[in-house]
């Protein structure tokens, strides 16, 4: 998942650059948390997925429940529709996460 995380960081830096170089252009970044089922999740190697999920849980990165793709899509349509109706407002970042508790959150440092 390191290449995936690196590509996300590069995309966020690119969007920041576009905002600086083209201040009149609205650019939004949508960050979507754990959603299942998806094509992205379906392409994971099953032998690696179990240990990866255990690691995410140990590091407090795992939600107890995943979001459903259709529900995420409806939410995005509503949020981005609102942005279109309000041209003087820029939504720079939208973060969608399950409201379920995070499991395996790290203990005291």
């Amino acid at each position: 998942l390191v290449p995936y995380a690196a590509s996300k960081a590069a995309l966020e830096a690119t969007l920041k650059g576009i905002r600086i170089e083209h201040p009149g252009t609205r650019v939004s970044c949508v960050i979507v948390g754990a959603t299942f089922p998806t094509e992205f999740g379906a392409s994971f190697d099953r032998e690696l997925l179990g240990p990866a999920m255990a690691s995410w849980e140990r590091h407090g990165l795992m939600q107890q429940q995943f979001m459903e793709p259709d529900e995420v899509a409806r939410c995005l349509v509503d949020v981005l529709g609102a942005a279109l109706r309000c041209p003087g407002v820029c939504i720079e970042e939208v973060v969608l996460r399950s409201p379920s508790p995070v499991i395996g959150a790290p203990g005291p440092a």
Side-chain angles (χ1 to χ4, degrees), residues 65-90:
Q65 295 176 333
F66 286 27
M67 297 180 291
E68 295 179 18
D70 289 344
E71 193 172 25
V72 170
R74 284 192 303 273
C75 182
L76 283 175
V77 166
D78 288 346
V79 168
L80 298 176
L84 289 173
R85 290 187 301 276
C86 303
V89 175
C90 178

Side-chain angles (χ1 to χ4, degrees), residues 27-100:
V27 179
S28 300
C29 179
V30 177
I31 299 168
V32 179
T35 306
F36 187 80
T38 64
E39 287 296 319
F40 178 75
S43 67
F44 274 44
D45 181 330
R46 297 280 180 206
E47 289 183 30
L48 298 176
L49 184 58
M53 290 179 80
S55 176
W56 297 336
E57 184 176 336
R58 276 194 312 277
H59 290 93
L61 301 172
M62 179 75 89
Q63 294 291 141
Q64 190 173 43
Q65 295 176 333
F66 286 27
M67 297 180 291
E68 295 179 18
D70 289 344
E71 193 172 25
V72 170
R74 284 192 303 273
C75 182
L76 283 175
V77 166
D78 288 346
V79 168
L80 298 176
L84 289 173
R85 290 187 301 276
C86 303
V89 175
C90 178
I91 297 174
E92 289 190 2
E93 187 172 272
V94 175
V95 180
L96 303 177
R97 300 233 187 271
S98 170
S100 70

